[in-house]
Structures are given as structure tokens and as C-alpha cells.
Amino acid sequence: MFFTAAASLYALLAAVGLGYAAPASVNHGDGTFFTPGLGACGYTNSSTQHIAAVSKQFFDSFGGGYSNPNDAPICGKWATIHYNDKTTRVQIVDRCGGCVGPTDVDMAPAAFDDLADEKLGRIKITWSID
Ligand SMILES: *[C@@H]1O[C@H](CO)[C@@H](O)[C@H](O)[C@H]1NC(C)=O
């Protein structure tokens, strides 16, 4: 009886464990744009590419630490960014030292343009790592 119950419990836990997928956390922050070049990840990107820099806090804490920023776990990840009814995707290639909020994202103009007119300068975005 005990063994049957224990086996059932383990089966249940295994099923729950296998079926569970943590939802990607959704961040709310400010979106801005900048002219990319050689970023903290060691990639050289341009204004026409869909890339972004995340805040220093986000960059430094994502997936553990790093000694060389080129090796930061966030480098090369993709994020989906929403603004009102618009959406864009960017590859994270840089660390935004000038960002104030921990969930702020500084984008290449090509990505910002998908979301809003550059005249707005700063927009309220919702985003998550893919
Ligand atoms: C950013 O630059 C790197 C290195 O040149 C390149 O591999 C990557 O594809 C670029 N990202 C995008 C989104 O173009």
C-alpha cells in the first residue's frame, strides 16, 4: 500500500515536473534608441540591424555572472518588445550603462522604428527574453 501510494506520488510529481514550463517573465520599462557600434558583447552592429542593449543591471544579473562581458550569458539572446499594438524582435548585443531603469532597453533605430516614431524618443515598452 505504501509503495503503491509512493509510486503514484512520484509519477504525479514527474508528470507535473515534465509538463511545467516557466513562463518567460515580462518586463516593463522605457524604450529608447541609439547608434550601435562595437558593443559589450564584442559584436559590431549597425543602425539597420535588429539589436538592443539592455540595462547594466539586467545585463549583469542575467543567467549568472561573467568576467569578460563578451561572455555574458545574455549576449546573443533574442527579445520580443511590444509598444501599443506594435511588436519587434531584437538580439541583445550590448550593455546600456546610461539606462536608469533595470528593465530599460536601448534599441537600434531599425527596431525602434518598428514600434514608434523616433520623435517620441522614449516609449513605455513591455518585453521579454524569447
Ligand atoms: C550583430 O553583430 C554580430 C557580429 O557581427 C552578428 O553575428 C549578428 O548577426 C548581428 N545581429 C543582428 C541582429 O544583425
Side-chain angles (χ1 to χ4, degrees):
M1 192 62 174
F2 168 77
F3 289 109
T4 307
S8 300
L9 181 61
Y10 281 118
L12 178 67
L13 289 174
V16 169
L18 290 172
Y20 181 73
S25 71
V26 175
N27 307 298
H28 300 267
D30 284 2
T32 49
F33 62 91
F34 73 114
T35 302
L38 174 60
C41 293
Y43 311 150
T44 298
N45 292 101
S46 71
S47 295
T48 59
Q49 293 178 320
H50 280 73
I51 61 89
V54 291
S55 77
K56 51 193 176 292
Q57 299 94 324
F58 200 96
F59 189 98
D60 292 346
S61 63
F62 184 88
Y66 59 86
S67 49
N68 179 338
N70 289 3
D71 299 329
I74 190 96
C75 289
K77 294 268 187 287
W78 286 79
T80 300
I81 307 177
H82 302 280
Y83 172 69
N84 291 341
D85 59 341
K86 305 286 182 57
T87 300
T88 193
R89 284 185 76 234
V90 293
Q91 188 177 30
I92 308 303
V93 300
D94 203 2
R95 179 181 186 272
C96 180
C99 288
V100 176
T103 51
D104 290 352
V105 180
D106 208 10
M107 292 167 253
F112 191 93
D113 293 350
D114 287 342
L115 303 175
D117 192 311
E118 290 183 14
K119 276 181 273 183
L120 292 179
R122 180 176 292 271
I123 56 178
K124 293 289 175 196
I125 55 169
T126 300
W127 63 280
S128 55
I129 298 292
D130 289 358

mmCIF file with all atom_site columns, all heavy atoms in Angstrom, residues 6-22:
data_model
loop_
_atom_site.group_PDB
_atom_site.id
_atom_site.type_symbol
_atom_site.label_atom_id
_atom_site.label_alt_id
_atom_site.label_comp_id
_atom_site.label_asym_id
_atom_site.label_entity_id
_atom_site.label_seq_id
_atom_site.pdbx_PDB_ins_code
_atom_site.Cartn_x
_atom_site.Cartn_y
_atom_site.Cartn_z
_atom_site.occupancy
_atom_site.B_iso_or_equiv
_atom_site.pdbx_formal_charge
_atom_site.auth_seq_id
_atom_site.auth_comp_id
_atom_site.auth_asym_id
_atom_site.auth_atom_id
_atom_site.pdbx_PDB_model_num
ATOM 1   N N   . ALA A 1 6  ? 3.376  5.678  -2.805  1.00 0.00 ? 6  ALA A N   1
ATOM 2   C CA  . ALA A 1 6  ? 4.612  6.417  -3.077  1.00 0.00 ? 6  ALA A CA  1
ATOM 3   C C   . ALA A 1 6  ? 4.890  6.445  -4.574  1.00 0.00 ? 6  ALA A C   1
ATOM 4   O O   . ALA A 1 6  ? 5.254  7.479  -5.123  1.00 0.00 ? 6  ALA A O   1
ATOM 5   C CB  . ALA A 1 6  ? 5.774  5.779  -2.330  1.00 0.00 ? 6  ALA A CB  1
ATOM 6   N N   . ALA A 1 7  ? 4.679  5.315  -5.238  1.00 0.00 ? 7  ALA A N   1
ATOM 7   C CA  . ALA A 1 7  ? 4.931  5.259  -6.682  1.00 0.00 ? 7  ALA A CA  1
ATOM 8   C C   . ALA A 1 7  ? 4.001  6.217  -7.412  1.00 0.00 ? 7  ALA A C   1
ATOM 9   O O   . ALA A 1 7  ? 4.411  6.930  -8.328  1.00 0.00 ? 7  ALA A O   1
ATOM 10  C CB  . ALA A 1 7  ? 4.740  3.834  -7.180  1.00 0.00 ? 7  ALA A CB  1
ATOM 11  N N   . SER A 1 8  ? 2.742  6.259  -6.977  1.00 0.00 ? 8  SER A N   1
ATOM 12  C CA  . SER A 1 8  ? 1.777  7.157  -7.619  1.00 0.00 ? 8  SER A CA  1
ATOM 13  C C   . SER A 1 8  ? 2.182  8.608  -7.408  1.00 0.00 ? 8  SER A C   1
ATOM 14  O O   . SER A 1 8  ? 2.089  9.428  -8.310  1.00 0.00 ? 8  SER A O   1
ATOM 15  C CB  . SER A 1 8  ? 0.380  6.945  -7.029  1.00 0.00 ? 8  SER A CB  1
ATOM 16  O OG  . SER A 1 8  ? -0.014 5.618  -7.231  1.00 0.00 ? 8  SER A OG  1
ATOM 17  N N   . LEU A 1 9  ? 2.653  8.887  -6.193  1.00 0.00 ? 9  LEU A N   1
ATOM 18  C CA  . LEU A 1 9  ? 3.059  10.249 -5.886  1.00 0.00 ? 9  LEU A CA  1
ATOM 19  C C   . LEU A 1 9  ? 4.237  10.657 -6.762  1.00 0.00 ? 9  LEU A C   1
ATOM 20  O O   . LEU A 1 9  ? 4.245  11.739 -7.341  1.00 0.00 ? 9  LEU A O   1
ATOM 21  C CB  . LEU A 1 9  ? 3.425  10.353 -4.401  1.00 0.00 ? 9  LEU A CB  1
ATOM 22  C CG  . LEU A 1 9  ? 3.843  11.759 -3.939  1.00 0.00 ? 9  LEU A CG  1
ATOM 23  C CD1 . LEU A 1 9  ? 2.704  12.754 -4.144  1.00 0.00 ? 9  LEU A CD1 1
ATOM 24  C CD2 . LEU A 1 9  ? 4.258  11.716 -2.471  1.00 0.00 ? 9  LEU A CD2 1
ATOM 25  N N   . TYR A 1 10 ? 5.193  9.741  -6.897  1.00 0.00 ? 10 TYR A N   1
ATOM 26  C CA  . TYR A 1 10 ? 6.350  10.067 -7.734  1.00 0.00 ? 10 TYR A CA  1
ATOM 27  C C   . TYR A 1 10 ? 5.942  10.245 -9.190  1.00 0.00 ? 10 TYR A C   1
ATOM 28  O O   . TYR A 1 10 ? 6.425  11.130 -9.884  1.00 0.00 ? 10 TYR A O   1
ATOM 29  C CB  . TYR A 1 10 ? 7.433  8.983  -7.610  1.00 0.00 ? 10 TYR A CB  1
ATOM 30  C CG  . TYR A 1 10 ? 8.235  9.138  -6.351  1.00 0.00 ? 10 TYR A CG  1
ATOM 31  C CD1 . TYR A 1 10 ? 8.252  8.156  -5.370  1.00 0.00 ? 10 TYR A CD1 1
ATOM 32  C CD2 . TYR A 1 10 ? 8.986  10.297 -6.128  1.00 0.00 ? 10 TYR A CD2 1
ATOM 33  C CE1 . TYR A 1 10 ? 8.972  8.314  -4.204  1.00 0.00 ? 10 TYR A CE1 1
ATOM 34  C CE2 . TYR A 1 10 ? 9.708  10.468 -4.958  1.00 0.00 ? 10 TYR A CE2 1
ATOM 35  C CZ  . TYR A 1 10 ? 9.699  9.476  -4.003  1.00 0.00 ? 10 TYR A CZ  1
ATOM 36  O OH  . TYR A 1 10 ? 10.412 9.646  -2.857  1.00 0.00 ? 10 TYR A OH  1
ATOM 37  N N   . ALA A 1 11 ? 5.009  9.404  -9.639  1.00 0.00 ? 11 ALA A N   1
ATOM 38  C CA  . ALA A 1 11 ? 4.537  9.505  -11.029 1.00 0.00 ? 11 ALA A CA  1
ATOM 39  C C   . ALA A 1 11 ? 3.873  10.860 -11.245 1.00 0.00 ? 11 ALA A C   1
ATOM 40  O O   . ALA A 1 11 ? 4.088  11.531 -12.253 1.00 0.00 ? 11 ALA A O   1
ATOM 41  C CB  . ALA A 1 11 ? 3.569  8.374  -11.333 1.00 0.00 ? 11 ALA A CB  1
ATOM 42  N N   . LEU A 1 12 ? 3.089  11.263 -10.246 1.00 0.00 ? 12 LEU A N   1
ATOM 43  C CA  . LEU A 1 12 ? 2.395  12.542 -10.338 1.00 0.00 ? 12 LEU A CA  1
ATOM 44  C C   . LEU A 1 12 ? 3.406  13.682 -10.372 1.00 0.00 ? 12 LEU A C   1
ATOM 45  O O   . LEU A 1 12 ? 3.335  14.575 -11.203 1.00 0.00 ? 12 LEU A O   1
ATOM 46  C CB  . LEU A 1 12 ? 1.446  12.701 -9.144  1.00 0.00 ? 12 LEU A CB  1
ATOM 47  C CG  . LEU A 1 12 ? 0.690  14.032 -9.084  1.00 0.00 ? 12 LEU A CG  1
ATOM 48  C CD1 . LEU A 1 12 ? -0.302 14.120 -10.253 1.00 0.00 ? 12 LEU A CD1 1
ATOM 49  C CD2 . LEU A 1 12 ? -0.045 14.171 -7.759  1.00 0.00 ? 12 LEU A CD2 1
ATOM 50  N N   . LEU A 1 13 ? 4.384  13.616 -9.460  1.00 0.00 ? 13 LEU A N   1
ATOM 51  C CA  . LEU A 1 13 ? 5.393  14.677 -9.418  1.00 0.00 ? 13 LEU A CA  1
ATOM 52  C C   . LEU A 1 13 ? 6.190  14.723 -10.725 1.00 0.00 ? 13 LEU A C   1
ATOM 53  O O   . LEU A 1 13 ? 6.480  15.804 -11.229 1.00 0.00 ? 13 LEU A O   1
ATOM 54  C CB  . LEU A 1 13 ? 6.344  14.460 -8.238  1.00 0.00 ? 13 LEU A CB  1
ATOM 55  C CG  . LEU A 1 13 ? 5.730  14.707 -6.855  1.00 0.00 ? 13 LEU A CG  1
ATOM 56  C CD1 . LEU A 1 13 ? 6.715  14.309 -5.764  1.00 0.00 ? 13 LEU A CD1 1
ATOM 57  C CD2 . LEU A 1 13 ? 5.300  16.160 -6.704  1.00 0.00 ? 13 LEU A CD2 1
ATOM 58  N N   . ALA A 1 14 ? 6.500  13.567 -11.258 1.00 0.00 ? 14 ALA A N   1
ATOM 59  C CA  . ALA A 1 14 ? 7.264  13.514 -12.505 1.00 0.00 ? 14 ALA A CA  1
ATOM 60  C C   . ALA A 1 14 ? 6.455  14.140 -13.636 1.00 0.00 ? 14 ALA A C   1
ATOM 61  O O   . ALA A 1 14 ? 6.974  14.923 -14.431 1.00 0.00 ? 14 ALA A O   1
ATOM 62  C CB  . ALA A 1 14 ? 7.627  12.071 -12.841 1.00 0.00 ? 14 ALA A CB  1
ATOM 63  N N   . ALA A 1 15 ? 5.154  13.813 -13.676 1.00 0.00 ? 15 ALA A N   1
ATOM 64  C CA  . ALA A 1 15 ? 4.291  14.342 -14.735 1.00 0.00 ? 15 ALA A CA  1
ATOM 65  C C   . ALA A 1 15 ? 4.193  15.861 -14.626 1.00 0.00 ? 15 ALA A C   1
ATOM 66  O O   . ALA A 1 15 ? 4.307  16.583 -15.616 1.00 0.00 ? 15 ALA A O   1
ATOM 67  C CB  . ALA A 1 15 ? 2.906  13.715 -14.647 1.00 0.00 ? 15 ALA A CB  1
ATOM 68  N N   . VAL A 1 16 ? 4.012  16.326 -13.386 1.00 0.00 ? 16 VAL A N   1
ATOM 69  C CA  . VAL A 1 16 ? 3.918  17.772 -13.173 1.00 0.00 ? 16 VAL A CA  1
ATOM 70  C C   . VAL A 1 16 ? 5.239  18.429 -13.552 1.00 0.00 ? 16 VAL A C   1
ATOM 71  O O   . VAL A 1 16 ? 5.270  19.444 -14.231 1.00 0.00 ? 16 VAL A O   1
ATOM 72  C CB  . VAL A 1 16 ? 3.552  18.082 -11.692 1.00 0.00 ? 16 VAL A CB  1
ATOM 73  C CG1 . VAL A 1 16 ? 3.718  19.562 -11.397 1.00 0.00 ? 16 VAL A CG1 1
ATOM 74  C CG2 . VAL A 1 16 ? 2.118  17.637 -11.411 1.00 0.00 ? 16 VAL A CG2 1
ATOM 75  N N   . GLY A 1 17 ? 6.326  17.784 -13.132 1.00 0.00 ? 17 GLY A N   1
ATOM 76  C CA  . GLY A 1 17 ? 7.642  18.352 -13.419 1.00 0.00 ? 17 GLY A CA  1
ATOM 77  C C   . GLY A 1 17 ? 7.915  18.432 -14.910 1.00 0.00 ? 17 GLY A C   1
ATOM 78  O O   . GLY A 1 17 ? 8.394  19.438 -15.404 1.00 0.00 ? 17 GLY A O   1
ATOM 79  N N   . LEU A 1 18 ? 7.553  17.393 -15.629 1.00 0.00 ? 18 LEU A N   1
ATOM 80  C CA  . LEU A 1 18 ? 7.815  17.380 -17.067 1.00 0.00 ? 18 LEU A CA  1
ATOM 81  C C   . LEU A 1 18 ? 6.921  18.351 -17.825 1.00 0.00 ? 18 LEU A C   1
ATOM 82  O O   . LEU A 1 18 ? 7.339  18.941 -18.805 1.00 0.00 ? 18 LEU A O   1
ATOM 83  C CB  . LEU A 1 18 ? 7.607  15.964 -17.628 1.00 0.00 ? 18 LEU A CB  1
ATOM 84  C CG  . LEU A 1 18 ? 8.655  14.939 -17.206 1.00 0.00 ? 18 LEU A CG  1
ATOM 85  C CD1 . LEU A 1 18 ? 8.233  13.541 -17.652 1.00 0.00 ? 18 LEU A CD1 1
ATOM 86  C CD2 . LEU A 1 18 ? 10.019 15.289 -17.800 1.00 0.00 ? 18 LEU A CD2 1
ATOM 87  N N   . GLY A 1 19 ? 5.700  18.524 -17.327 1.00 0.00 ? 19 GLY A N   1
ATOM 88  C CA  . GLY A 1 19 ? 4.759  19.358 -18.042 1.00 0.00 ? 19 GLY A CA  1
ATOM 89  C C   . GLY A 1 19 ? 4.919  20.835 -17.740 1.00 0.00 ? 19 GLY A C   1
ATOM 90  O O   . GLY A 1 19 ? 4.365  21.668 -18.422 1.00 0.00 ? 19 GLY A O   1
ATOM 91  N N   . TYR A 1 20 ? 5.700  21.139 -16.719 1.00 0.00 ? 20 TYR A N   1
ATOM 92  C CA  . TYR A 1 20 ? 5.788  22.528 -16.298 1.00 0.00 ? 20 TYR A CA  1
ATOM 93  C C   . TYR A 1 20 ? 6.767  23.331 -17.130 1.00 0.00 ? 20 TYR A C   1
ATOM 94  O O   . TYR A 1 20 ? 7.914  22.943 -17.302 1.00 0.00 ? 20 TYR A O   1
ATOM 95  C CB  . TYR A 1 20 ? 6.214  22.593 -14.826 1.00 0.00 ? 20 TYR A CB  1
ATOM 96  C CG  . TYR A 1 20 ? 6.305  24.005 -14.300 1.00 0.00 ? 20 TYR A CG  1
ATOM 97  C CD1 . TYR A 1 20 ? 5.146  24.732 -14.043 1.00 0.00 ? 20 TYR A CD1 1
ATOM 98  C CD2 . TYR A 1 20 ? 7.535  24.605 -14.088 1.00 0.00 ? 20 TYR A CD2 1
ATOM 99  C CE1 . TYR A 1 20 ? 5.222  26.022 -13.578 1.00 0.00 ? 20 TYR A CE1 1
ATOM 100 C CE2 . TYR A 1 20 ? 7.623  25.897 -13.619 1.00 0.00 ? 20 TYR A CE2 1
ATOM 101 C CZ  . TYR A 1 20 ? 6.448  26.610 -13.368 1.00 0.00 ? 20 TYR A CZ  1
ATOM 102 O OH  . TYR A 1 20 ? 6.531  27.889 -12.920 1.00 0.00 ? 20 TYR A OH  1
ATOM 103 N N   . ALA A 1 21 ? 6.336  24.412 -17.685 1.00 0.00 ? 21 ALA A N   1
ATOM 104 C CA  . ALA A 1 21 ? 7.219  25.323 -18.413 1.00 0.00 ? 21 ALA A CA  1
ATOM 105 C C   . ALA A 1 21 ? 7.072  26.696 -17.784 1.00 0.00 ? 21 ALA A C   1
ATOM 106 O O   . ALA A 1 21 ? 5.973  27.253 -17.742 1.00 0.00 ? 21 ALA A O   1
ATOM 107 C CB  . ALA A 1 21 ? 6.824  25.376 -19.886 1.00 0.00 ? 21 ALA A CB  1
ATOM 108 N N   . ALA A 1 22 ? 8.142  27.194 -17.231 1.00 0.00 ? 22 ALA A N   1
ATOM 109 C CA  . ALA A 1 22 ? 8.085  28.504 -16.591 1.00 0.00 ? 22 ALA A CA  1
ATOM 110 C C   . ALA A 1 22 ? 7.790  29.575 -17.638 1.00 0.00 ? 22 ALA A C   1
ATOM 111 O O   . ALA A 1 22 ? 8.440  29.611 -18.675 1.00 0.00 ? 22 ALA A O   1
ATOM 112 C CB  . ALA A 1 22 ? 9.414  28.811 -15.904 1.00 0.00 ? 22 ALA A CB  1
#
